Amino acid sequence: RNGIYPLMNFAVSRPHALPRALSQPQEDPQKAKTPTPEPFDVETRKVVQMQCNMELNEDKSQWHLTLLLILEDKLHRQLSYDLLPTDNSKDLATELVHYGFIHEDDCEKLAVFLESAFHKHRSQA
């Protein structure tokens, strides 16, 4: 009648004891020193529409990139990044594939799109 709240009165008064292991397994020292990289999901959906906006920061020293990607299933993905002077479009697109933000087949298309956006916005500044 009162929902889930009365069930709180039936909680165990003390936590259950967990059995302890007699000895902890020894780790291989070689494995302990080398961290394994986190696996990233691979994006299976392709990009159907791209939009890009670039603005100079307040101190006019760095560009801020906002990228809107619309995927096949109508999912909107908005990514933001402060561009460094050494950044180029191909490396940014490859990094987005690596981290699972875009499909591998869209890498070249996005690199060309970003390169044209870089030239357009930097020539206007």
Side-chain angles (χ1 to χ4, degrees), residues 50-54 63 65-67 69 83-94 96 106-124:
M50 296 180 268
Q51 294 176 4
C52 176
N53 185 31
M54 290 178 61
W63 286 96
L65 170 70
T66 303
L67 185 63
L69 305 173
L83 290 170
L84 301 173
T86 57
D87 286 332
N88 65 52
S89 59
K90 182 67 176 166
D91 290 344
L92 290 175
T94 303
L96 291 177
D106 292 327
C107 184
E108 189 62 35
K109 180 171 62 170
L110 182 65
V112 170
F113 176 75
L114 286 174
E115 190 62 36
S116 67
F118 290 173
H119 287 300
K120 176 184 168 189
H121 286 90
R122 288 179 177 159
S123 65
Q124 291 175 355

Side-chain angles (χ1 to χ4, degrees), residues 72-112:
E72 288 175 331
D73 62 349
K74 307 295 186 227
L75 177 101
H76 289 64
R77 180 169 284 163
Q78 182 173 341
L79 306 168
S80 296
Y81 180 69
D82 287 327
L83 290 170
L84 301 173
T86 57
D87 286 332
N88 65 52
S89 59
K90 182 67 176 166
D91 290 344
L92 290 175
T94 303
E95 192 172 328
L96 291 177
V97 170
H98 173 74
Y99 289 111
F101 288 111
I102 64 170
H103 192 279
E104 186 176 1
D105 294 345
D106 292 327
C107 184
E108 189 62 35
K109 180 171 62 170
L110 182 65
V112 170

Side-chain angles (χ1 to χ4, degrees), residues 3-101:
I4 195 167
Y5 297 107
L7 295 179
M8 292 189 314
N9 294 332
F10 296 107
V12 177
S13 60
R14 60 188 168 144
H16 295 287
L18 297 175
R20 293 185 180 196
L22 296 177
S23 66
Q24 296 293 332
Q26 296 294 326
E27 285 191 32
D28 184 12
Q30 183 67 19
K31 289 181 182 176
K33 293 179 185 176
T34 309
T36 57
E38 289 290 322
F40 295 104
D41 290 334
V42 176
E43 180 60 65
T44 58
R45 301 164 294 190
K46 294 194 178 187
V47 175
V48 294
Q49 187 177 355
M50 296 180 268
Q51 294 176 4
C52 176
N53 185 31
M54 290 178 61
E55 298 173 346
L56 278 172
N57 288 350
E58 295 90 27
D59 58 359
K60 308 273 188 214
S61 64
Q62 197 173 34
W63 286 96
H64 180 77
L65 170 70
T66 303
L67 185 63
L68 177 66
L69 305 173
I70 301 176
L71 304 178
E72 288 175 331
D73 62 349
K74 307 295 186 227
L75 177 101
H76 289 64
R77 180 169 284 163
Q78 182 173 341
L79 306 168
S80 296
Y81 180 69
D82 287 327
L83 290 170
L84 301 173
T86 57
D87 286 332
N88 65 52
S89 59
K90 182 67 176 166
D91 290 344
L92 290 175
T94 303
E95 192 172 328
L96 291 177
V97 170
H98 173 74
Y99 289 111
F101 288 111

